[in-house]
Amino acid sequence: MVSRKSTPLDDFSLKNHRCSVDLRLKKLGMVPFFADLSEPELIEVNNAFSAAHYTVDQTIYYQDDSATMLRVVVHGAVKLVHQTLEGKEVLLDMLKPGEYFGNLSALDDTYSETARTQTDVCILTIRMRDFRSLLDQYSSIAIAVLDVTSRRLQSLQQKIQQLTTLPVKKRIAHILVTLGNKFGEKHPRGLLIQLPLSRKDLADMAGTSAETASRVMSQFQEDDLITSGRQWVAINDKPKLLRISSED
Amino acid sequence: MVSRKSTPLDDFSLKNHRCSVDLRLKKLGMVPFFADLSEPELIEVNNAFSAAHYTVDQTIYYQDDSATMLRVVVHGAVKLVHQTLEGKEVLLDMLKPGEYFGNLSALDDTYSETARTQTDVCILTIRMRDFRSLLDQYSSIAIAVLDVTSRRLQSLQQKIQQLTTLPVKKRIAHILVTLGNKFGEKHPRGLLIQLPLSRKDLADMAGTSAETASRVMSQFQEDDLITSGRQWVAINDKPKLLRISSED
DNA sequence: CGGTCTGTTGAAGGATTTCAACACTCGTGG
DNA sequence: CCACGAGTGTTGAAATCCTTCAACAGACCG
């Protein structure tokens, strides 16, 4: 009765490979706070970063570690999670190339979350100290950083609102739409979320249990809104999912 | 059987009065992003602000309004709430003198939440445009603003974690401790939270219903952890509340 | 002192978690 | 190349937490 399907995920997106200098520059230019820089300036900034590679499911840093580095995703996906004492996890964000992570607060020098790779990744790292001198050097960067941070703040506010006012089904519908917009790629099976994504990942994003997430996903599949298999999801009817997430 | 008590809240803290220039300067100096400025600079910054007064339960701005002003609380308390379509409210933050509110994002020019007075208040306002020129003029401000914003981000992350992993009782215990630290004043009845605080306010902070909040508060009172009446709460045993919020 | 707002409490119903058993996928090594 | 095992997903049933509806009680305001 249950019929799951083998993965349609693109291997190139998941597997590790070297970050070419070209790719580095391109992704650095995508980071909003470097967007205003000229090409020579960008090259100088690029030289302040060094590249690092991780394989899937590695922890880049742990919550409460001393925060010395700022990082930018170049290739692959990184998830930020909060861990509780009892081992429960809350998935705060899933980052794609061009997004930064780390801690920008000058006073608190520990990471407030754990960063773990969702695929093989290539990231750029810079010491906080060096980043701060970039901030001094290019004042446009500080303002852009502030902007990015304010937006993250807003998206967390929205997340809190959904956690406290919406039932699980609507929360998951919303999460699927958001992931579709961010990681979606056209594919014969639908809008494929180009990312290994387990029921537990979804549950940790929605603030529910893996079993409940599975039940909701089964229902969505029943209603032909999505197609899903082990560690992957494709969206068939985004408008209807969006309606589910906000109706009533 | 039920015995509620009349309010021990201090009238001075709740009622409106003019903001003296002295008070303005003192509170502006308390805002972290102006902390590094010299006194003459502070006076100049002060001149860019103008004062405004509101009575209790007035809305300063609505979610999605065009965001033109940045504001600083000088006297009284302001709450930031998210409203859902069905009229539910989520209380995101309760601000005290020295804290700023508004929207710092340059790209999104609407408020992401509603600001409402919790007491009579005096606030300082500055046009975003003018604030941005302050940012350009004093680079230390931009970095300090970034710092404050990063910290708010972290506290929202913590809130999300609690909403998704803790039961209501622990969430409320934690909220009481936090409010006690922020608004607590020594008082014969215990550590009095100097703020009109209804069960609904607490419920909106904890992401639960007013009835459930009331039940939890009744139990805490039964256990002599708090003393509470209509619109006020005093904490008798902070260590035990803290233990409840994190035990198991 | 009466009306209104806020808080309390009970009881029923609903959403979600937890525990448990089983099914399917995929990689690995025989 | 197939079989096995570990990891992941599904589903059922019981238990739990919480919401909702409802009625009433205490506090504050004029």
Side-chain angles (χ1 to χ4, degrees), chain A residues 129-143:
Chain A
R129 200 180 9 188
D130 297 337
F131 183 72
R132 283 184 195 289
S133 66
L134 282 182
L135 282 186
D136 290 337
Q137 198 178 341
Y138 304 104
S139 70
S140 75
I141 295 182
I143 292 171

Side-chain angles (χ1 to χ4, degrees), chain A:
Chain A
M1 189 180 324
V2 184
S3 145
R4 271 161 287 182
K5 306 103 189 175
S6 58
T7 187
L9 294 183
D10 175 11
D11 227 42
F12 172 80
S13 303
L14 311 181
K15 288 300 178 184
N16 201 2
H17 58 94
R18 297 279 103 191
C19 299
S20 67
V21 172
D22 267 8
L23 192 60
R24 284 177 60 162
L25 279 177
K26 183 153 161 265
K27 295 302 173 183
L28 270 185
M30 281 172 54
V31 182
F33 25 105
F34 300 134
D36 284 349
L37 300 183
S38 68
E39 185 145 349
E41 286 172 337
L42 199 56
I43 288 173
E44 190 200 327
V45 167
N46 176 55
N47 289 334
F49 281 89
S50 51
H53 296 262
Y54 295 86
T55 57
V56 65
D57 207 30
Q58 274 192 294
T59 297
I60 300 174
Y61 58 74
Y62 288 94
Q63 192 171 327
D64 300 325
D65 277 1
S66 163
T68 56
M69 307 292 263
L70 191 74
R71 296 172 166 86
V72 174
V73 181
V74 174
H75 182 90
V78 172
K79 67 182 169 193
L80 304 181
V81 301
H82 239 193
Q83 291 164 314
T84 67
L85 300 171
E86 305 103 46
K88 285 188 183 178
E89 292 198 341
V90 182
L91 209 167
L92 295 164
D93 208 350
M94 186 77 78
L95 307 179
K96 73 174 190 177
E99 295 192 286
Y100 84 91
F101 59 115
N103 180 358
L104 289 171
S105 164
L107 299 173
D108 181 5
D109 63 345
T110 60
Y111 295 116
S112 60
E113 73 283 317
T114 296
R116 191 174 308 138
T117 59
Q118 187 73 2
T119 62
D120 288 1
V121 299
C122 165
I123 62 180
L124 293 178
T125 66
I126 184 173
R127 265 196 296 249
M128 272 312 296
R129 200 180 9 188
D130 297 337
F131 183 72
R132 283 184 195 289
S133 66
L134 282 182
L135 282 186
D136 290 337
Q137 198 178 341
Y138 304 104
S139 70
S140 75
I141 295 182
I143 292 171
V145 167
L146 180 57
D147 196 81
V148 171
T149 310
S150 300
R151 292 172 159 284
R152 283 211 185 163
L153 200 84
Q154 289 182 16
S155 88
L156 285 189
Q157 285 184 359
Q158 200 195 352
K159 192 169 182 116
I160 287 176
Q161 190 231 41
Q162 297 190 348
L163 283 170
T164 58
T165 62
L166 302 184
V168 171
K169 186 176 163 188
K170 294 187 179 192
R171 300 209 297 265
I172 291 186
H174 186 268
I175 287 167
L176 288 174
V177 171
T178 306
L179 286 174
N181 289 338
K182 187 163 177 177
F183 294 98
E185 288 181 12
K186 280 208 169 140
H187 188 275
R189 291 194 190 276
L191 183 69
L192 178 65
I193 294 170
Q194 195 55 256
L195 201 67
L197 193 66
S198 69
R199 294 299 182 257
K200 177 163 190 316
D201 288 327
L202 272 172
D204 290 346
M205 283 189 234
T208 186
S209 65
E211 294 92 332
T212 298
S214 177
R215 280 181 242 274
V216 172
M217 294 293 278
S218 294
Q219 199 195 324
F220 285 165
Q221 197 146 204
E222 190 106 353
D223 301 343
D224 284 327
L225 303 175
I226 62 170
T227 312
S228 169
R230 182 193 170 98
Q231 305 252 52
W232 65 271
V233 182
I235 295 175
N236 301 330
D237 193 340
K238 194 164 85 171
K240 197 158 182 186
L241 274 178
L242 199 53
R243 234 177 302 134
I244 286 176
S245 76
S246 58
E247 76 191 354
D248 279 6

Side-chain angles (χ1 to χ4, degrees), chain B residues 2 4-7 167-168 208-209 211-212 215 230:
Chain B
V2 184
R4 271 161 289 181
K5 305 104 190 175
S6 58
T7 186
V168 170
T208 185
S209 66
E211 293 93 332
T212 298
R215 281 180 241 273
R230 182 192 169 98

